[in-house]
Amino acid sequence: MKLANIHKHYVALLLIIGGLQSAHAQTWSLQQCIDTAQVHNKNLQITRNNIAIGEQREKEAKANLIPKITANADYKYFTNLPYQLLPLNALNPAAPEGEYRAAQFGVPHNINANLQLSMPLYNPQVYGAIQTTKIASELTDLQYQKTEEQIYFEISNLYYNAQILHHQLAFIDSNLINAKRLLKNMQLLNEQLLAKGTDVSKVKLQVSQLTTQKETIKSKYEQVLNALKFAMGISIEHNLQIEPNIQYQNTNEYTPASTLDIRIIKTQNRLLWSELNTLNKSRYLPSLNLVGMYGTTGFGYNGEPSSFLDFYPIGFAGIQLTYPLFNGTVTKRKVLQKTLELRNNELQFGMLTEQNNMQVENAKQQREITKKTVETTTEQIQLAQTIYEQTLLQQKQGTASLTDVLLTDNALREAQQTYLTTVIDYLKADLELKKLTGNISLNN
């Protein structure tokens, strides 16, 4: 009995699986998964909220330039009126100098109500905070793009892993069909006393191993799909099917661009310089504020011979100048801290640049190696298929043993596995190079 060509089984299986997918579930492309993640991924939602927080902080800093108006009111009842010492010669010129008499002033009831105005005309801390929050908002935008990049990278890797497991299942199903037909053939030969019982047991073992392997890979496939759903931000119960066809392309050339990590380091550098400049300005420059107040003051008395409650207006406008003379070296210590942070930032920039250059070269080499390996394994599959079919024919003719058939079958399966692995390795290396050259984003 001649066994069917493995490629025919493989294509048939893919067609059957594709038909079932279209009948029961939507097939998601990689780009659809990425687009869904952009809307539903929790990390992206958190980062978008952080962007909104940064915008509000920038508006808060600018709001410090707007005049501030406060309303104040208080009532005081003095059980004991405040005392003051009066020199005796103030009332009696004949009294000796240096002698005083205690006297109580005021009335028991005191009422104050006023409006106070304050507006900064020049404040180095306020202007520095505005500039700093603006740069911080830019940094938050870059961190959002970094999160997008990480999501793109994570979903792509999970999608590629799901594809390789999907194809492994198809290969195993095809190999399982071949193994079961071989088992049926060996059992028939054994009944005719043309094959040993041990030969039948060997094929049974192979069928059992393939069945176990299928269940293991099926479980891994479901786990990867669940991880993919989580990264996309959709429910684990959602019925998700991926495109089985691996979109393999030859080498893509990417134009080198500044990576997000480097752009984040540069923006952090600007942020540190802004904070340092603000500290230096607040250390040496004065603050100038416009101040004003308008209100009323009430004085009341409820004793003999007559009670009264009189109100008197009060108001003023002026300019207040504040200059820092000495604050216990607090600002100086902060300046030294920012200076050290700037040095670390510059060291990180240099280290990150060198690391990125090294990783780009390694990614290019890895991609080139996997590309050549894909070409080689493609030829190996064709050769292994030919050898397998020839060995089956020889086994029918009695010139090859069952061991030879099993060995060639294992060689064919290894070639299939190596091919799938190298194709995915190529796609991952290409993805890594894309990231390292600054060409990766959710919208690519």
Side-chain angles (χ1 to χ4, degrees):
M1 183 185 298
K2 186 174 180 179
L3 296 179
N5 186 294
I6 187 171
H7 286 302
K8 293 180 181 178
H9 289 307
Y10 180 51
V11 172
L13 279 169
L14 287 181
L15 290 174
I16 293 171
I17 293 172
L20 290 175
Q21 288 173 346
S22 60
H24 296 91
Q26 176 188 359
T27 300
W28 292 64
S29 66
L30 175 57
Q31 189 58 50
Q32 286 176 319
C33 293
I34 292 171
D35 292 340
T36 302
Q38 196 168 18
V39 177
H40 299 289
N41 183 271
K42 299 296 186 298
N43 286 328
L44 286 176
Q45 292 177 8
I46 291 172
T47 314
R48 280 194 288 267
N49 289 337
N50 289 337
I51 291 176
I53 291 171
E55 292 173 351
Q56 294 303 316
R57 285 176 178 167
E58 186 177 353
K59 292 179 180 179
E60 176 190 353
K62 292 179 179 178
N64 286 320
L65 296 175
I66 301 174
K68 307 295 187 298
I69 300 176
T70 57
N72 303 291
D74 67 77
Y75 165 76
K76 295 177 183 177
Y77 173 74
F78 289 92
T79 57
N80 288 293
L81 293 176
Y83 283 85
Q84 184 57 273
L85 294 179
L86 293 178
L88 291 179
N89 59 8
L91 300 175
N92 183 7
E97 190 159 337
E99 293 187 8
Y100 297 86
R101 181 183 295 277
Q104 287 180 296
F105 289 90
V107 292
H109 302 278
N110 284 258
I111 300 173
N112 291 288
N114 58 71
L115 295 175
Q116 291 184 345
L117 170 71
S118 176
M119 184 179 76
L121 299 177
Y122 176 75
N123 189 316
Q125 291 182 334
V126 171
Y127 287 104
I130 292 173
Q131 181 64 25
T132 299
T133 53
K134 183 178 180 181
I135 299 174
S137 293
E138 294 178 21
L139 183 60
T140 306
D141 288 337
L142 289 174
Q143 289 170 342
Y144 175 76
Q145 295 177 40
K146 178 67 177 176
T147 305
E148 279 189 327
E149 182 182 271
Q150 291 172 344
I151 296 300
Y152 183 104
F153 200 79
E154 179 183 358
I155 288 180
S156 296
N157 274 310
L158 287 170
Y159 199 90
Y160 294 154
N161 288 335
Q163 283 184 318
I164 190 173
L165 290 170
H166 186 281
H167 282 263
Q168 283 179 346
L169 283 173
F171 274 134
I172 289 175
D173 283 336
S174 180
N175 293 331
L176 198 55
I177 291 173
N178 286 341
K180 288 180 178 179
R181 290 192 175 184
L182 179 61
L183 175 61
K184 186 177 180 181
N185 188 33
M186 294 305 301
Q187 288 173 336
L188 182 60
L189 292 174
N190 179 254
E191 292 173 359
Q192 298 173 356
L193 303 178
L194 298 176
K196 301 177 181 178
T198 54
D199 292 338
V200 176
S201 298
K202 288 178 182 179
V203 181
K204 282 184 178 179
L205 177 61
Q206 187 182 45
V207 171
S208 176
Q209 289 173 339
L210 285 171
T211 303
T212 303
Q213 187 180 6
K214 178 182 177 180
E215 293 301 318
T216 301
I217 293 178
K218 186 177 180 181
S219 175
K220 289 181 179 178
Y221 179 69
E222 293 298 328
Q223 292 173 24
V224 171
L225 285 184
N226 287 338
L228 182 59
K229 294 173 192 176
F230 177 78
M232 291 166 58
I234 62 176
S235 171
I236 299 297
E237 288 75 23
H238 193 95
N239 192 355
L240 173 67
Q241 298 291 343
I242 64 168
E243 287 184 351
N245 295 329
I246 300 175
Q247 300 298 323
Y248 168 74
Q249 297 176 346
N250 288 327
T251 304
N252 297 316
E253 295 301 330
Y254 301 115
T255 303
S258 180
T259 64
L260 283 171
D261 287 332
I262 292 177
R263 289 165 61 189
I264 287 173
I265 288 289
K266 287 182 177 179
T267 307
Q268 288 173 341
N269 183 271
R270 289 172 52 212
L271 181 63
L272 289 170
W273 272 113
S274 177
E275 292 173 344
L276 183 59
N277 289 334
T278 301
L279 287 171
N280 284 325
K281 288 180 179 179
S282 65
R283 187 179 179 186
Y284 298 112
L285 297 179
S287 298
L288 189 64
N289 296 314
L290 174 67
V291 294
M293 186 187 75
Y294 179 79
T296 183
T297 300
F299 299 100
Y301 178 72
N302 60 348
E304 296 294 337
S306 63
S307 300
F308 65 87
L309 178 63
D310 296 331
F311 288 91
Y312 302 92
I314 182 173
F316 70 85
I319 295 177
Q320 183 183 58
L321 179 70
T322 305
Y323 187 84
L325 294 177
F326 182 71
N327 67 347
T329 71
V330 172
T331 304
K332 180 181 178 181
R333 301 306 167 196
K334 290 182 178 180
V335 167
L336 291 175
Q337 292 174 35
K338 290 300 173 184
T339 303
L340 292 172
E341 289 178 20
L342 274 168
R343 291 179 186 174
N344 282 341
N345 178 269
E346 291 168 357
L347 290 172
Q348 288 175 346
F349 176 76
M351 180 177 64
L352 189 61
T353 302
E354 293 175 3
Q355 183 185 43
N356 183 260
N357 292 335
M358 177 268 294
Q359 290 177 336
V360 167
E361 291 302 317
N362 289 347
K364 285 181 178 178
Q365 293 181 14
Q366 179 66 21
R367 191 178 68 167
E368 189 62 28
I369 291 172
T370 52
K371 177 188 173 185
K372 293 178 179 178
T373 307
V374 168
E375 296 171 353
T376 303
T377 53
T378 302
E379 298 174 356
Q380 290 175 351
I381 285 181
Q382 295 173 352
L383 181 60
Q385 178 65 37
T386 302
I387 294 173
Y388 178 70
E389 292 175 352
Q390 291 176 349
T391 306
L392 279 178
L393 183 60
Q394 292 172 358
Q395 193 263 345
K396 284 187 63 177
Q397 296 172 350
T399 58
S401 65
L402 176 63
T403 302
D404 295 330
V405 175
L406 297 178
L407 287 174
T408 54
D409 179 65
N410 288 334
L412 177 58
R413 281 189 280 151
E414 288 178 4
Q416 293 167 349
Q417 176 62 34
T418 304
Y419 171 76
L420 288 176
T421 303
T422 51
V423 168
I424 298 301
D425 286 344
Y426 170 82
L427 292 173
K428 290 181 178 180
D430 184 71
L431 184 65
E432 180 72 19
L433 184 60
K434 199 182 208 181
K435 174 184 176 183
L436 294 170
T437 54
N439 288 278
I440 190 172
S441 73
L442 280 177
N443 298 318
N444 279 0

